[in-house]
Amino acid sequence: MSDRFERFENLPEDRRRAVVDAAAEVFGDENYARASTADIARRAGVSKSQLFFYFRNKRELYLYVLTALTRRVADAVVDERWYKIDDFFEIMRYAATQKAGLVGSSPCIMDFFVRAFYLGHRDVSGVLDAFMTDAVPAMVQTYLGHVRWERFRDDVDPMRVVRMLVWCGDGYLHEQLRGGGELDMETMLSEFLVWLDWLKRATYKEEYL
């Protein structure tokens, strides 16, 4: 991004958060094309000209919000307890529970990510596709280095298990969106925990079950 990005990063945290939260709400409520930067500015308590003092265009703002919310989710999940859990399935359970708590207190985060990755606009779809392609390997490398991978059976590739969990969540969201139903985080969390138990029994060595 441009030096405008640096200007925005130098703002007090509460002002940056107000803009990010306002943008997350608007981008979560409307598809990218219809999302109004004037509405974002109004909700954030700034003028539209101020908004574009920090971001050259709507696309740059959108991608900044994507990065900021991804970082916010990571900060909420990866806390001091995270690195004390070395069992893969327990850490996935912890991550899912922490995410559910964050989304429960900030529903706009879920709305934003659902629209981003399932209803993306052509102006940002290429970046989003690349983001998703890189996200899983980056997550494993950055946050799961302390996991006891040897607990998996010798004929199991742990990365396949990671991908299966991503696919399960992806499929669940697609099914819910296709049916026109509302996304219930508690129901999704319950389903996810069932998948974890199934996969653990199917992939772990007997002594770790």
Side-chain angles (χ1 to χ4, degrees):
M1 291 186 181
S2 65
D3 56 355
R4 296 170 183 244
F5 168 76
E6 293 183 12
R7 298 174 193 166
F8 186 72
E9 285 289 285
N10 288 330
L11 288 175
E13 182 181 355
D14 60 336
R15 292 184 63 189
R16 283 186 282 118
R17 192 179 184 99
V19 172
V20 170
D21 287 350
E25 288 176 3
V26 173
F27 285 127
D29 288 342
E30 294 282 0
N31 66 42
Y32 178 86
R34 288 202 301 264
S36 164
T37 52
D39 193 13
I40 293 171
R42 180 184 58 77
R43 295 191 195 196
V46 300
S47 68
K48 189 174 177 180
S49 61
Q50 282 179 298
L51 192 64
F52 286 111
F53 179 73
Y54 300 115
F55 302 97
R56 288 179 297 186
N57 49 46
K58 182 164 70 171
R59 182 178 186 274
E60 191 172 272
L61 171 61
Y62 184 90
L63 296 178
Y64 179 87
V65 173
L66 171 67
T67 301
L69 291 182
T70 300
R71 187 168 58 230
R72 190 183 298 180
V73 171
D75 289 344
V77 172
V78 184
D79 57 12
E80 61 182 19
R81 186 183 169 195
W82 177 270
Y83 292 102
K84 296 177 183 178
I85 308 172
D86 61 9
D87 182 272
F88 173 77
F89 290 101
E90 287 306 311
I91 209 167
M92 290 297 100
R93 179 183 295 270
Y94 185 71
T97 303
Q98 292 290 94
K99 286 178 184 177
L102 176 63
V103 170
S105 61
S106 303
C108 65
I109 293 178
M110 172 64 91
D111 294 338
F112 176 87
F113 281 119
V114 166
R115 281 199 176 272
F117 295 114
Y118 298 95
L119 305 168
H121 188 268
R122 63 180 181 276
D123 286 355
V124 292
S125 59
V127 176
L128 295 174
D129 289 344
F131 182 92
M132 284 301 293
T133 298
D134 297 337
V136 173
M139 177 196 72
V140 172
Q141 183 176 3
T142 305
Y143 300 118
L144 299 178
H146 63 297
V147 165
R148 298 278 300 278
W149 300 106
E150 71 274 10
R151 294 181 176 179
F152 285 94
R153 293 202 323 264
D154 294 337
D155 61 335
V156 172
D157 178 358
M159 279 303 299
R160 286 190 174 181
V161 178
V162 175
R163 292 190 193 98
M164 284 181 70
L165 287 171
V166 172
W167 295 335
C168 284
D170 192 48
Y172 179 88
L173 286 172
H174 270 295
E175 181 181 88
Q176 294 298 306
L177 292 171
R178 187 169 56 247
E182 291 189 8
L183 294 175
D184 185 323
M185 198 63 198
E186 286 192 14
T187 301
M188 185 173 180
L189 176 61
S190 297
E191 287 290 326
F192 186 79
L193 297 182
V194 170
W195 306 335
L196 284 183
D197 289 340
W198 284 347
L199 281 170
K200 182 173 183 177
R201 291 196 299 270
T203 62
Y204 256 27
K205 293 174 182 174
E206 190 70 30
E207 61 264 35
Y208 297 116
L209 295 177

